[in-house]
Amino acid sequence: MASPRPPRLAALAALAAAFACAGSSSALAAHRRGHSAAAPRTCQNTGLRPTKRNLSLIRGATLCLINRERVDRGEPPLRPNARLRRAAQAHTQSMAFGDYFEHVGGGGPGGGTPLARMRAVGYISSSRFGYEVGENIAWGTLGLATPRAIVAAWMASPAHRANILDRRYRETGIGVSPHPPASLAHGQAGAIYTQDFGVIIR
């Protein structure tokens, strides 16, 4: 029996527009944006393996775990944002079916840079406002594809942990596909995740 492959991680932060009019990107960092006023002590469905029928439960469990980490450290919970979710899901699908694992993809709605995707869905919609955005991605197989395993792996990585706990972010969107990149999963069942973070500064 094949052993599960450990989750692969990557993180990226885009600098605020105040620092670069074009929204230049820099290395490792991410997320930011809210949920409800308080995170529950117990999160449901954290041990589920993603399937095409349970993705809303997987997203909810992942956000609950992220918000619990934030609230435990005195940070506000992130609020879900539909536009960030569309950007995150498009990139997740692009990676899953394009067989790659990177923040920058090819053309189309899921391609380009995180900043380009967030502009395409209308999250960053005006040059009059500043913004800070970021992104975490991960994939895993078998038991390492659950929300619990993915969030634990992010929290064990300094760059991803910094993104999760970054007090500036206020909104988030989570994308999940039950199809990990084929060249990485080697036939094992699993999933790939994208979490986008942002705050619009008015």
Side-chain angles (χ1 to χ4, degrees):
M1 177 172 159
S3 61
R5 294 182 172 275
R8 291 275 313 273
L9 305 171
L12 176 92
L15 298 177
F19 290 95
C21 292
S24 302
S25 62
S26 67
L28 307 176
H31 354 33
R32 187 69 181 169
R33 188 65 172 168
H35 187 57
S36 60
R41 294 303 318 145
T42 303
C43 296
Q44 302 289 318
N45 305 308
T46 62
L48 284 181
R49 295 184 188 179
T51 69
K52 63 183 178 181
R53 292 188 178 95
N54 69 4
L55 296 183
S56 63
L57 296 176
I58 298 295
R59 285 188 198 98
T62 304
L63 180 57
C64 181
L65 290 168
I66 293 289
N67 278 338
R68 191 169 69 184
E69 296 289 351
R70 289 175 62 88
V71 170
D72 283 352
R73 290 159 181 83
E75 301 301 338
L78 300 174
R79 296 183 304 271
N81 179 279
R83 289 178 173 154
L84 288 177
R85 185 174 66 126
R86 283 199 305 273
Q89 189 63 37
H91 188 52
T92 298
Q93 295 293 108
S94 178
M95 289 190 292
F97 296 104
D99 195 23
Y100 69 97
F101 181 67
E102 301 288 343
H103 288 285
V104 178
T113 66
L115 191 57
R117 293 189 292 272
M118 291 179 207
R119 282 190 169 126
V121 298
Y123 181 71
I124 300 170
S125 60
S126 173
S127 60
R128 298 190 315 259
F129 303 131
Y131 59 85
E132 291 191 17
V133 297
E135 180 173 272
N136 277 358
I137 59 177
W139 69 273
T141 58
L142 305 178
L144 296 178
T146 67
R148 182 188 303 126
I150 293 295
V151 173
W154 277 337
M155 289 299 293
S157 161
H160 295 86
R161 178 186 174 95
N163 294 336
I164 288 169
L165 301 180
D166 189 322
R167 69 178 51 211
R168 292 166 297 181
Y169 294 128
R170 290 289 177 268
E171 298 174 312
T172 192
I174 297 168
V176 185
S177 171
H179 303 284
S183 63
L184 302 175
H186 302 288
Q188 290 186 325
I192 187 164
Y193 290 65
T194 302
Q195 184 169 17
D196 285 337
F197 305 88
V199 61
I200 300 299
I201 305 162
R202 298 180 188 273

